[in-house]
Amino acid sequence: MNKNSEKISGWKKFMQSMTKAHDLGTEEDILLDHDYDGIKELDNVLPPWWLYGFYITIAISIFYYTQVFYNSEEYSQEKEYAAEVEQGKKDVEAYKAANPELFDDSNIVALTDDASLAKGKELFASKTCTACHLVDLGGSIGPNLTDNKWILGGGVKDIYNTISKGGRPGKGMIAWESTISREERIQLASYIVSMQGVAPATPKAEEGDIVWPE
Ligand code: HEC
């Protein structure tokens, strides 16, 4: 036997030990005795190479759980969660600080861009404001919104506040904050501000005695 054939037989031995494959031609020895429509089954053992891989993953999982996951000083799911929540809160605060007008009603400023005013006008009709204040804001059940006499206060902040919280009880102007979004209420208030001084077709007589700016 030369060196080469020794190597081959060593390799073969190794393969045999890793696969425990049954020798060809002797299948009858491990043939199970059932037969499904001509399909028969051999009782092969699980190949050792596959089993070893399985054992290795079990060992790694125990090591991982006890050493890396459970004992780790630096990492734990709880810490990761807490850190992410912490970061999230900071991001929210930073966003609020950078965009105060979105969160704090005392910072509301009247929008003046065409798109916002057009949106306000559209909302004034679609949210049924026109039913009581008329399309040209001249007033009918509700007061004229184009003159500078206010029952509840002029200026974007007071108007926004009236739209949000409603007028005096029983007068018919309900609170809209649960049905109209904050952004849309600002657009509505801005639209009303932009309509100051226009002349409606049939203006309702002035109501209220607040002039803005006071
Ligand atoms: C059912 C009728 C009705 C509807 C609909 C209505 N309003 Fe009014 N609105 C009134 C009445 C009535 C008042 C006066 C409230 C008071 O005297 O306290 C009023 C007051 C106001 C005021 C304050 C006026 C002032 O002089 O201080 C604003 C601004 C206003 N409405 C905007 C709106 C907007 C915007 C909408 C649509 C989202 C709307 N209203 C829908 C009846 C209505």
Side-chain angles (χ1 to χ4, degrees), residues 123-124 127-133 141-145 149-154 159 162-163 166-169 171-174 176 180 188 192 207:
L123 288 165
F124 199 79
K127 300 291 180 186
T128 70
C129 317
T130 48
C132 298
H133 295 281
I141 296 167
N144 179 349
L145 298 176
K149 280 290 176 79
W150 300 93
I151 304 167
L152 302 154
I159 293 174
T162 305
I163 298 171
R168 295 169 298 174
K171 292 289 179 185
M173 175 67 185
I174 58 161
W176 298 90
I180 302 181
L188 278 165
I192 294 172
E207 288 170 84

PDB file of all heavy atoms in Angstrom, residues 123-124 127-133 141-145 149-154 159 162-163 166-169 171-174 176 180 188 192 207, ligand 1:
ATOM      1  N   LEU A 123     -61.377  74.720   4.628  1.00  0.00           N
ATOM      2  CA  LEU A 123     -61.889  74.163   5.883  1.00  0.00           C
ATOM      3  C   LEU A 123     -63.091  74.946   6.382  1.00  0.00           C
ATOM      4  O   LEU A 123     -64.042  74.382   6.930  1.00  0.00           O
ATOM      5  CB  LEU A 123     -60.795  74.177   6.957  1.00  0.00           C
ATOM      6  CG  LEU A 123     -59.659  73.163   6.787  1.00  0.00           C
ATOM      7  CD1 LEU A 123     -58.483  73.536   7.691  1.00  0.00           C
ATOM      8  CD2 LEU A 123     -60.140  71.755   7.097  1.00  0.00           C
ATOM      9  N   PHE A 124     -63.046  76.256   6.193  1.00  0.00           N
ATOM     10  CA  PHE A 124     -64.143  77.111   6.665  1.00  0.00           C
ATOM     11  C   PHE A 124     -65.456  76.657   6.028  1.00  0.00           C
ATOM     12  O   PHE A 124     -66.509  76.673   6.671  1.00  0.00           O
ATOM     13  CB  PHE A 124     -63.852  78.575   6.324  1.00  0.00           C
ATOM     14  CG  PHE A 124     -64.652  79.541   7.146  1.00  0.00           C
ATOM     15  CD1 PHE A 124     -64.283  79.833   8.453  1.00  0.00           C
ATOM     16  CD2 PHE A 124     -65.783  80.160   6.621  1.00  0.00           C
ATOM     17  CE1 PHE A 124     -65.031  80.723   9.224  1.00  0.00           C
ATOM     18  CE2 PHE A 124     -66.536  81.049   7.377  1.00  0.00           C
ATOM     19  CZ  PHE A 124     -66.163  81.331   8.685  1.00  0.00           C
ATOM     20  N   LYS A 127     -65.956  72.456   7.053  1.00  0.00           N
ATOM     21  CA  LYS A 127     -66.279  72.187   8.463  1.00  0.00           C
ATOM     22  C   LYS A 127     -67.562  72.902   8.882  1.00  0.00           C
ATOM     23  O   LYS A 127     -67.824  73.078  10.073  1.00  0.00           O
ATOM     24  CB  LYS A 127     -65.119  72.604   9.376  1.00  0.00           C
ATOM     25  CG  LYS A 127     -63.817  71.876   9.098  1.00  0.00           C
ATOM     26  CD  LYS A 127     -63.891  70.407   9.486  1.00  0.00           C
ATOM     27  CE  LYS A 127     -62.570  69.699   9.199  1.00  0.00           C
ATOM     28  NZ  LYS A 127     -62.632  68.256   9.422  1.00  0.00           N
ATOM     29  N   THR A 128     -68.315  73.367   7.943  1.00  0.00           N
ATOM     30  CA  THR A 128     -69.646  73.989   8.135  1.00  0.00           C
ATOM     31  C   THR A 128     -69.633  75.334   8.853  1.00  0.00           C
ATOM     32  O   THR A 128     -70.675  75.808   9.303  1.00  0.00           O
ATOM     33  CB  THR A 128     -70.646  73.052   8.890  1.00  0.00           C
ATOM     34  OG1 THR A 128     -70.232  72.918  10.250  1.00  0.00           O
ATOM     35  CG2 THR A 128     -70.737  71.689   8.239  1.00  0.00           C
ATOM     36  N   CYS A 129     -68.480  75.982   8.958  1.00  0.00           N
ATOM     37  CA  CYS A 129     -68.429  77.313   9.573  1.00  0.00           C
ATOM     38  C   CYS A 129     -69.313  78.272   8.772  1.00  0.00           C
ATOM     39  O   CYS A 129     -69.931  79.182   9.338  1.00  0.00           O
ATOM     40  CB  CYS A 129     -67.009  77.858   9.581  1.00  0.00           C
ATOM     41  SG  CYS A 129     -65.746  76.654  10.050  1.00  0.00           S
ATOM     42  N   THR A 130     -69.350  78.037   7.446  1.00  0.00           N
ATOM     43  CA  THR A 130     -70.094  78.943   6.567  1.00  0.00           C
ATOM     44  C   THR A 130     -71.588  78.949   6.883  1.00  0.00           C
ATOM     45  O   THR A 130     -72.276  79.928   6.624  1.00  0.00           O
ATOM     46  CB  THR A 130     -69.905  78.535   5.091  1.00  0.00           C
ATOM     47  OG1 THR A 130     -70.121  77.121   4.999  1.00  0.00           O
ATOM     48  CG2 THR A 130     -68.519  78.867   4.600  1.00  0.00           C
ATOM     49  N   ALA A 131     -72.099  77.856   7.469  1.00  0.00           N
ATOM     50  CA  ALA A 131     -73.531  77.781   7.779  1.00  0.00           C
ATOM     51  C   ALA A 131     -73.936  78.913   8.717  1.00  0.00           C
ATOM     52  O   ALA A 131     -75.031  79.466   8.602  1.00  0.00           O
ATOM     53  CB  ALA A 131     -73.854  76.426   8.406  1.00  0.00           C
ATOM     54  N   CYS A 132     -73.082  79.291   9.629  1.00  0.00           N
ATOM     55  CA  CYS A 132     -73.434  80.326  10.607  1.00  0.00           C
ATOM     56  C   CYS A 132     -72.694  81.650  10.384  1.00  0.00           C
ATOM     57  O   CYS A 132     -73.129  82.691  10.867  1.00  0.00           O
ATOM     58  CB  CYS A 132     -73.141  79.830  12.019  1.00  0.00           C
ATOM     59  SG  CYS A 132     -74.114  78.388  12.482  1.00  0.00           S
ATOM     60  N   HIS A 133     -71.538  81.588   9.700  1.00  0.00           N
ATOM     61  CA  HIS A 133     -70.758  82.823   9.520  1.00  0.00           C
ATOM     62  C   HIS A 133     -70.769  83.317   8.072  1.00  0.00           C
ATOM     63  O   HIS A 133     -70.189  84.356   7.771  1.00  0.00           O
ATOM     64  CB  HIS A 133     -69.309  82.605   9.975  1.00  0.00           C
ATOM     65  CG  HIS A 133     -69.182  82.335  11.449  1.00  0.00           C
ATOM     66  ND1 HIS A 133     -69.223  83.326  12.392  1.00  0.00           N
ATOM     67  CD2 HIS A 133     -69.023  81.170  12.129  1.00  0.00           C
ATOM     68  CE1 HIS A 133     -69.084  82.791  13.614  1.00  0.00           C
ATOM     69  NE2 HIS A 133     -68.968  81.487  13.474  1.00  0.00           N
ATOM     70  N   ILE A 141     -76.064  83.513  11.816  1.00  0.00           N
ATOM     71  CA  ILE A 141     -76.292  83.060  13.204  1.00  0.00           C
ATOM     72  C   ILE A 141     -75.082  83.465  14.057  1.00  0.00           C
ATOM     73  O   ILE A 141     -75.217  83.940  15.176  1.00  0.00           O
ATOM     74  CB  ILE A 141     -76.494  81.525  13.241  1.00  0.00           C
ATOM     75  CG1 ILE A 141     -77.751  81.156  12.470  1.00  0.00           C
ATOM     76  CG2 ILE A 141     -76.550  81.025  14.681  1.00  0.00           C
ATOM     77  CD1 ILE A 141     -77.883  79.682  12.175  1.00  0.00           C
ATOM     78  N   GLY A 142     -73.900  83.278  13.481  1.00  0.00           N
ATOM     79  CA  GLY A 142     -72.675  83.690  14.162  1.00  0.00           C
ATOM     80  C   GLY A 142     -72.314  85.111  13.765  1.00  0.00           C
ATOM     81  O   GLY A 142     -72.835  85.640  12.769  1.00  0.00           O
ATOM     82  N   PRO A 143     -71.432  85.732  14.522  1.00  0.00           N
ATOM     83  CA  PRO A 143     -71.081  87.128  14.217  1.00  0.00           C
ATOM     84  C   PRO A 143     -70.254  87.289  12.951  1.00  0.00           C
ATOM     85  O   PRO A 143     -69.669  86.343  12.438  1.00  0.00           O
ATOM     86  CB  PRO A 143     -70.277  87.552  15.446  1.00  0.00           C
ATOM     87  CG  PRO A 143     -69.803  86.306  16.078  1.00  0.00           C
ATOM     88  CD  PRO A 143     -70.790  85.243  15.746  1.00  0.00           C
ATOM     89  N   ASN A 144     -70.237  88.499  12.458  1.00  0.00           N
ATOM     90  CA  ASN A 144     -69.369  88.910  11.352  1.00  0.00           C
ATOM     91  C   ASN A 144     -67.915  88.732  11.802  1.00  0.00           C
ATOM     92  O   ASN A 144     -67.532  89.199  12.881  1.00  0.00           O
ATOM     93  CB  ASN A 144     -69.685  90.388  11.061  1.00  0.00           C
ATOM     94  CG  ASN A 144     -68.838  90.952   9.931  1.00  0.00           C
ATOM     95  OD1 ASN A 144     -67.894  90.341   9.483  1.00  0.00           O
ATOM     96  ND2 ASN A 144     -69.205  92.161   9.479  1.00  0.00           N
ATOM     97  N   LEU A 145     -67.131  88.046  10.980  1.00  0.00           N
ATOM     98  CA  LEU A 145     -65.739  87.795  11.380  1.00  0.00           C
ATOM     99  C   LEU A 145     -64.746  88.691  10.640  1.00  0.00           C
ATOM    100  O   LEU A 145     -63.541  88.507  10.729  1.00  0.00           O
ATOM    101  CB  LEU A 145     -65.382  86.320  11.132  1.00  0.00           C
ATOM    102  CG  LEU A 145     -66.187  85.281  11.929  1.00  0.00           C
ATOM    103  CD1 LEU A 145     -65.805  83.867  11.504  1.00  0.00           C
ATOM    104  CD2 LEU A 145     -66.015  85.455  13.428  1.00  0.00           C
ATOM    105  N   LYS A 149     -64.503  94.016  15.684  1.00  0.00           N
ATOM    106  CA  LYS A 149     -65.229  94.015  16.955  1.00  0.00           C
ATOM    107  C   LYS A 149     -65.420  92.558  17.328  1.00  0.00           C
ATOM    108  O   LYS A 149     -66.037  91.793  16.566  1.00  0.00           O
ATOM    109  CB  LYS A 149     -66.595  94.722  16.810  1.00  0.00           C
ATOM    110  CG  LYS A 149     -66.505  96.226  16.859  1.00  0.00           C
ATOM    111  CD  LYS A 149     -66.149  96.674  18.276  1.00  0.00           C
ATOM    112  CE  LYS A 149     -65.945  98.178  18.392  1.00  0.00           C
ATOM    113  NZ  LYS A 149     -67.186  98.936  18.459  1.00  0.00           N
ATOM    114  N   TRP A 150     -64.857  92.165  18.450  1.00  0.00           N
ATOM    115  CA  TRP A 150     -64.874  90.752  18.831  1.00  0.00           C
ATOM    116  C   TRP A 150     -65.598  90.548  20.139  1.00  0.00           C
ATOM    117  O   TRP A 150     -65.441  91.314  21.082  1.00  0.00           O
ATOM    118  CB  TRP A 150     -63.446  90.226  18.943  1.00  0.00           C
ATOM    119  CG  TRP A 150     -62.680  90.348  17.656  1.00  0.00           C
ATOM    120  CD1 TRP A 150     -61.879  91.384  17.272  1.00  0.00           C
ATOM    121  CD2 TRP A 150     -62.680  89.409  16.579  1.00  0.00           C
ATOM    122  NE1 TRP A 150     -61.370  91.151  16.005  1.00  0.00           N
ATOM    123  CE2 TRP A 150     -61.851  89.940  15.560  1.00  0.00           C
ATOM    124  CE3 TRP A 150     -63.307  88.181  16.347  1.00  0.00           C
ATOM    125  CZ2 TRP A 150     -61.617  89.281  14.351  1.00  0.00           C
ATOM    126  CZ3 TRP A 150     -63.071  87.522  15.141  1.00  0.00           C
ATOM    127  CH2 TRP A 150     -62.227  88.079  14.152  1.00  0.00           C
ATOM    128  N   ILE A 151     -66.397  89.482  20.167  1.00  0.00           N
ATOM    129  CA  ILE A 151     -67.067  89.111  21.414  1.00  0.00           C
ATOM    130  C   ILE A 151     -66.058  88.412  22.330  1.00  0.00           C
ATOM    131  O   ILE A 151     -66.018  88.641  23.530  1.00  0.00           O
ATOM    132  CB  ILE A 151     -68.255  88.147  21.133  1.00  0.00           C
ATOM    133  CG1 ILE A 151     -69.236  88.786  20.137  1.00  0.00           C
ATOM    134  CG2 ILE A 151     -68.955  87.747  22.422  1.00  0.00           C
ATOM    135  CD1 ILE A 151     -70.257  87.804  19.573  1.00  0.00           C
ATOM    136  N   LEU A 152     -65.230  87.563  21.691  1.00  0.00           N
ATOM    137  CA  LEU A 152     -64.342  86.706  22.477  1.00  0.00           C
ATOM    138  C   LEU A 152     -62.861  87.038  22.301  1.00  0.00           C
ATOM    139  O   LEU A 152     -62.004  86.418  22.927  1.00  0.00           O
ATOM    140  CB  LEU A 152     -64.601  85.246  22.094  1.00  0.00           C
ATOM    141  CG  LEU A 152     -66.064  84.810  22.302  1.00  0.00           C
ATOM    142  CD1 LEU A 152     -66.448  83.664  21.375  1.00  0.00           C
ATOM    143  CD2 LEU A 152     -66.319  84.443  23.746  1.00  0.00           C
ATOM    144  N   GLY A 153     -62.564  87.951  21.428  1.00  0.00           N
ATOM    145  CA  GLY A 153     -61.167  88.347  21.252  1.00  0.00           C
ATOM    146  C   GLY A 153     -60.677  88.126  19.837  1.00  0.00           C
ATOM    147  O   GLY A 153     -60.931  87.090  19.240  1.00  0.00           O
ATOM    148  N   GLY A 154     -59.974  89.135  19.278  1.00  0.00           N
ATOM    149  CA  GLY A 154     -59.406  89.019  17.936  1.00  0.00           C
ATOM    150  C   GLY A 154     -57.966  88.553  18.016  1.00  0.00           C
ATOM    151  O   GLY A 154     -57.470  88.208  19.086  1.00  0.00           O
ATOM    152  N   ILE A 159     -58.642  83.880  18.472  1.00  0.00           N
ATOM    153  CA  ILE A 159     -59.533  83.227  17.499  1.00  0.00           C
ATOM    154  C   ILE A 159     -59.326  81.711  17.547  1.00  0.00           C
ATOM    155  O   ILE A 159     -60.283  80.931  17.590  1.00  0.00           O
ATOM    156  CB  ILE A 159     -59.298  83.793  16.077  1.00  0.00           C
ATOM    157  CG1 ILE A 159     -59.746  85.261  16.046  1.00  0.00           C
ATOM    158  CG2 ILE A 159     -60.047  82.973  15.036  1.00  0.00           C
ATOM    159  CD1 ILE A 159     -59.446  85.987  14.748  1.00  0.00           C
ATOM    160  N   THR A 162     -61.046  80.454  20.565  1.00  0.00           N
ATOM    161  CA  THR A 162     -62.501  80.358  20.414  1.00  0.00           C
ATOM    162  C   THR A 162     -62.875  79.132  19.589  1.00  0.00           C
ATOM    163  O   THR A 162     -63.792  78.387  19.939  1.00  0.00           O
ATOM    164  CB  THR A 162     -63.055  81.623  19.712  1.00  0.00           C
ATOM    165  OG1 THR A 162     -62.645  82.775  20.447  1.00  0.00           O
ATOM    166  CG2 THR A 162     -64.568  81.583  19.623  1.00  0.00           C
ATOM    167  N   ILE A 163     -62.137  78.916  18.480  1.00  0.00           N
ATOM    168  CA  ILE A 163     -62.440  77.752  17.634  1.00  0.00           C
ATOM    169  C   ILE A 163     -62.248  76.459  18.452  1.00  0.00           C
ATOM    170  O   ILE A 163     -63.062  75.548  18.390  1.00  0.00           O
ATOM    171  CB  ILE A 163     -61.547  77.738  16.373  1.00  0.00           C
ATOM    172  CG1 ILE A 163     -61.816  78.994  15.520  1.00  0.00           C
ATOM    173  CG2 ILE A 163     -61.783  76.484  15.552  1.00  0.00           C
ATOM    174  CD1 ILE A 163     -60.834  79.188  14.376  1.00  0.00           C
ATOM    175  N   GLY A 166     -64.735  76.943  21.854  1.00  0.00           N
ATOM    176  CA  GLY A 166     -66.118  77.348  21.631  1.00  0.00           C
ATOM    177  C   GLY A 166     -66.423  78.714  22.221  1.00  0.00           C
ATOM    178  O   GLY A 166     -65.592  79.311  22.900  1.00  0.00           O
ATOM    179  N   GLY A 167     -67.638  79.183  21.941  1.00  0.00           N
ATOM    180  CA  GLY A 167     -68.044  80.494  22.447  1.00  0.00           C
ATOM    181  C   GLY A 167     -68.723  80.372  23.800  1.00  0.00           C
ATOM    182  O   GLY A 167     -68.541  79.365  24.502  1.00  0.00           O
ATOM    183  N   ARG A 168     -69.490  81.380  24.137  1.00  0.00           N
ATOM    184  CA  ARG A 168     -70.185  81.337  25.420  1.00  0.00           C
ATOM    185  C   ARG A 168     -71.249  80.239  25.368  1.00  0.00           C
ATOM    186  O   ARG A 168     -71.830  80.000  24.301  1.00  0.00           O
ATOM    187  CB  ARG A 168     -70.818  82.713  25.708  1.00  0.00           C
ATOM    188  CG  ARG A 168     -69.780  83.812  25.898  1.00  0.00           C
ATOM    189  CD  ARG A 168     -70.426  85.174  25.899  1.00  0.00           C
ATOM    190  NE  ARG A 168     -71.086  85.465  24.603  1.00  0.00           N
ATOM    191  CZ  ARG A 168     -71.827  86.537  24.384  1.00  0.00           C
ATOM    192  NH1 ARG A 168     -72.034  87.428  25.339  1.00  0.00           N
ATOM    193  NH2 ARG A 168     -72.378  86.739  23.204  1.00  0.00           N
ATOM    194  N   PRO A 169     -71.520  79.600  26.484  1.00  0.00           N
ATOM    195  CA  PRO A 169     -72.481  78.488  26.491  1.00  0.00           C
ATOM    196  C   PRO A 169     -73.829  78.917  25.920  1.00  0.00           C
ATOM    197  O   PRO A 169     -74.297  80.011  26.214  1.00  0.00           O
ATOM    198  CB  PRO A 169     -72.595  78.124  27.978  1.00  0.00           C
ATOM    199  CG  PRO A 169     -71.410  78.715  28.651  1.00  0.00           C
ATOM    200  CD  PRO A 169     -70.980  79.882  27.822  1.00  0.00           C
ATOM    201  N   LYS A 171     -74.703  79.778  22.943  1.00  0.00           N
ATOM    202  CA  LYS A 171     -74.762  80.726  21.821  1.00  0.00           C
ATOM    203  C   LYS A 171     -74.691  80.018  20.471  1.00  0.00           C
ATOM    204  O   LYS A 171     -75.022  80.598  19.443  1.00  0.00           O
ATOM    205  CB  LYS A 171     -73.603  81.731  21.921  1.00  0.00           C
ATOM    206  CG  LYS A 171     -73.729  82.670  23.106  1.00  0.00           C
ATOM    207  CD  LYS A 171     -74.856  83.663  22.870  1.00  0.00           C
ATOM    208  CE  LYS A 171     -75.021  84.596  24.057  1.00  0.00           C
ATOM    209  NZ  LYS A 171     -76.168  85.497  23.905  1.00  0.00           N
ATOM    210  N   GLY A 172     -74.225  78.783  20.461  1.00  0.00           N
ATOM    211  CA  GLY A 172     -74.203  78.043  19.199  1.00  0.00           C
ATOM    212  C   GLY A 172     -72.827  77.768  18.639  1.00  0.00           C
ATOM    213  O   GLY A 172     -72.683  76.967  17.717  1.00  0.00           O
ATOM    214  N   MET A 173     -71.817  78.419  19.167  1.00  0.00           N
ATOM    215  CA  MET A 173     -70.448  78.171  18.684  1.00  0.00           C
ATOM    216  C   MET A 173     -69.840  77.099  19.582  1.00  0.00           C
ATOM    217  O   MET A 173     -69.485  77.364  20.729  1.00  0.00           O
ATOM    218  CB  MET A 173     -69.640  79.474  18.742  1.00  0.00           C
ATOM    219  CG  MET A 173     -68.161  79.341  18.392  1.00  0.00           C
ATOM    220  SD  MET A 173     -67.897  78.901  16.664  1.00  0.00           S
ATOM    221  CE  MET A 173     -66.113  78.689  16.689  1.00  0.00           C
ATOM    222  N   ILE A 174     -69.749  75.871  19.026  1.00  0.00           N
ATOM    223  CA  ILE A 174     -69.270  74.757  19.846  1.00  0.00           C
ATOM    224  C   ILE A 174     -67.738  74.714  19.883  1.00  0.00           C
ATOM    225  O   ILE A 174     -67.078  75.429  19.129  1.00  0.00           O
ATOM    226  CB  ILE A 174     -69.805  73.407  19.315  1.00  0.00           C
ATOM    227  CG1 ILE A 174     -69.361  73.209  17.849  1.00  0.00           C
ATOM    228  CG2 ILE A 174     -71.322  73.345  19.442  1.00  0.00           C
ATOM    229  CD1 ILE A 174     -69.426  71.785  17.381  1.00  0.00           C
ATOM    230  N   TRP A 176     -64.410  72.996  18.900  1.00  0.00           N
ATOM    231  CA  TRP A 176     -64.079  72.135  17.748  1.00  0.00           C
ATOM    232  C   TRP A 176     -62.815  71.309  17.967  1.00  0.00           C
ATOM    233  O   TRP A 176     -62.396  70.580  17.089  1.00  0.00           O
ATOM    234  CB  TRP A 176     -63.886  72.996  16.501  1.00  0.00           C
ATOM    235  CG  TRP A 176     -65.104  73.749  16.091  1.00  0.00           C
ATOM    236  CD1 TRP A 176     -65.463  74.993  16.500  1.00  0.00           C
ATOM    237  CD2 TRP A 176     -66.160  73.298  15.215  1.00  0.00           C
ATOM    238  NE1 TRP A 176     -66.659  75.369  15.940  1.00  0.00           N
ATOM    239  CE2 TRP A 176     -67.110  74.347  15.143  1.00  0.00           C
ATOM    240  CE3 TRP A 176     -66.390  72.137  14.496  1.00  0.00           C
ATOM    241  CZ2 TRP A 176     -68.269  74.254  14.371  1.00  0.00           C
ATOM    242  CZ3 TRP A 176     -67.541  72.043  13.721  1.00  0.00           C
ATOM    243  CH2 TRP A 176     -68.463  73.092  13.668  1.00  0.00           C
ATOM    244  N   ILE A 180     -61.616  68.957  14.936  1.00  0.00           N
ATOM    245  CA  ILE A 180     -60.719  69.582  13.957  1.00  0.00           C
ATOM    246  C   ILE A 180     -59.313  69.561  14.539  1.00  0.00           C
ATOM    247  O   ILE A 180     -59.123  69.934  15.699  1.00  0.00           O
ATOM    248  CB  ILE A 180     -61.160  71.035  13.645  1.00  0.00           C
ATOM    249  CG1 ILE A 180     -62.602  71.050  13.116  1.00  0.00           C
ATOM    250  CG2 ILE A 180     -60.227  71.685  12.630  1.00  0.00           C
ATOM    251  CD1 ILE A 180     -63.124  72.431  12.758  1.00  0.00           C
ATOM    252  N   LEU A 188     -57.511  77.669  10.083  1.00  0.00           N
ATOM    253  CA  LEU A 188     -58.787  78.396  10.119  1.00  0.00           C
ATOM    254  C   LEU A 188     -58.614  79.776  10.747  1.00  0.00           C
ATOM    255  O   LEU A 188     -59.080  80.784  10.207  1.00  0.00           O
ATOM    256  CB  LEU A 188     -59.821  77.592  10.929  1.00  0.00           C
ATOM    257  CG  LEU A 188     -60.548  76.473  10.194  1.00  0.00           C
ATOM    258  CD1 LEU A 188     -61.244  75.557  11.184  1.00  0.00           C
ATOM    259  CD2 LEU A 188     -61.550  77.057   9.205  1.00  0.00           C
ATOM    260  N   ILE A 192     -59.136  83.483   9.032  1.00  0.00           N
ATOM    261  CA  ILE A 192     -60.019  84.539   9.552  1.00  0.00           C
ATOM    262  C   ILE A 192     -59.224  85.843   9.749  1.00  0.00           C
ATOM    263  O   ILE A 192     -59.693  86.927   9.376  1.00  0.00           O
ATOM    264  CB  ILE A 192     -60.699  84.080  10.869  1.00  0.00           C
ATOM    265  CG1 ILE A 192     -61.648  82.915  10.572  1.00  0.00           C
ATOM    266  CG2 ILE A 192     -61.461  85.236  11.529  1.00  0.00           C
ATOM    267  CD1 ILE A 192     -62.234  82.232  11.793  1.00  0.00           C
ATOM    268  N   GLU A 207     -70.723  93.085  16.691  1.00  0.00           N
ATOM    269  CA  GLU A 207     -71.061  92.514  17.998  1.00  0.00           C
ATOM    270  C   GLU A 207     -69.777  92.436  18.798  1.00  0.00           C
ATOM    271  O   GLU A 207     -68.709  92.184  18.249  1.00  0.00           O
ATOM    272  CB  GLU A 207     -71.626  91.102  17.844  1.00  0.00           C
ATOM    273  CG  GLU A 207     -73.028  91.038  17.257  1.00  0.00           C
ATOM    274  CD  GLU A 207     -73.414  89.599  16.918  1.00  0.00           C
ATOM    275  OE1 GLU A 207     -73.877  88.880  17.808  1.00  0.00           O
ATOM    276  OE2 GLU A 207     -73.227  89.192  15.752  1.00  0.00           O
TER     277      GLU A 207
HETATM  278  C1  HEC B   1     -74.009  76.658  14.636  1.00  0.00           C
HETATM  279  C2  HEC B   1     -73.496  77.937  14.168  1.00  0.00           C
HETATM  280  C3  HEC B   1     -71.999  78.113  14.125  1.00  0.00           C
HETATM  281  C4  HEC B   1     -71.085  77.357  13.470  1.00  0.00           C
HETATM  282  C5  HEC B   1     -71.287  76.105  12.640  1.00  0.00           C
HETATM  283  C6  HEC B   1     -69.800  77.997  13.692  1.00  0.00           C
HETATM  284  N1  HEC B   1     -69.956  79.108  14.468  1.00  0.00           N
HETATM  285 FE1  HEC B   1     -68.504  80.370  15.030  1.00  0.00          FE
HETATM  286  N2  HEC B   1     -69.804  81.368  16.148  1.00  0.00           N
HETATM  287  C7  HEC B   1     -71.165  81.143  16.250  1.00  0.00           C
HETATM  288  C8  HEC B   1     -71.748  81.988  17.253  1.00  0.00           C
HETATM  289  C9  HEC B   1     -73.203  82.022  17.637  1.00  0.00           C
HETATM  290  C10 HEC B   1     -70.677  82.757  17.790  1.00  0.00           C
HETATM  291  C11 HEC B   1     -70.765  83.763  18.908  1.00  0.00           C
HETATM  292  C12 HEC B   1     -70.379  83.039  20.192  1.00  0.00           C
HETATM  293  C13 HEC B   1     -70.653  83.859  21.453  1.00  0.00           C
HETATM  294  O1  HEC B   1     -71.408  84.815  21.371  1.00  0.00           O
HETATM  295  O2  HEC B   1     -70.072  83.459  22.478  1.00  0.00           O
HETATM  296  C14 HEC B   1     -69.505  82.339  17.064  1.00  0.00           C
HETATM  297  C15 HEC B   1     -68.266  82.894  17.267  1.00  0.00           C
HETATM  298  C16 HEC B   1     -67.157  82.622  16.522  1.00  0.00           C
HETATM  299  C17 HEC B   1     -65.910  83.327  16.629  1.00  0.00           C
HETATM  300  C18 HEC B   1     -65.603  84.443  17.581  1.00  0.00           C
HETATM  301  C19 HEC B   1     -66.163  85.755  17.100  1.00  0.00           C
HETATM  302  C20 HEC B   1     -65.960  86.869  18.074  1.00  0.00           C
HETATM  303  O3  HEC B   1     -66.555  87.916  17.827  1.00  0.00           O
HETATM  304  O4  HEC B   1     -65.234  86.700  19.069  1.00  0.00           O
HETATM  305  C21 HEC B   1     -65.047  82.772  15.726  1.00  0.00           C
HETATM  306  C22 HEC B   1     -63.624  83.176  15.430  1.00  0.00           C
HETATM  307  C23 HEC B   1     -65.796  81.702  15.054  1.00  0.00           C
HETATM  308  N3  HEC B   1     -67.063  81.641  15.558  1.00  0.00           N
HETATM  309  C24 HEC B   1     -65.235  80.879  14.088  1.00  0.00           C
HETATM  310  C25 HEC B   1     -65.907  79.753  13.617  1.00  0.00           C
HETATM  311  C26 HEC B   1     -65.285  78.749  12.810  1.00  0.00           C
HETATM  312  C27 HEC B   1     -63.849  78.755  12.325  1.00  0.00           C
HETATM  313  C28 HEC B   1     -66.217  77.793  12.580  1.00  0.00           C
HETATM  314  C29 HEC B   1     -66.072  76.492  11.823  1.00  0.00           C
HETATM  315  C30 HEC B   1     -65.114  75.571  12.355  1.00  0.00           C
HETATM  316  C31 HEC B   1     -67.434  78.218  13.235  1.00  0.00           C
HETATM  317  N4  HEC B   1     -67.200  79.395  13.863  1.00  0.00           N
HETATM  318  C32 HEC B   1     -68.613  77.521  13.191  1.00  0.00           C
HETATM  319  C33 HEC B   1     -71.860  80.199  15.509  1.00  0.00           C
HETATM  320  C34 HEC B   1     -71.270  79.207  14.750  1.00  0.00           C
END
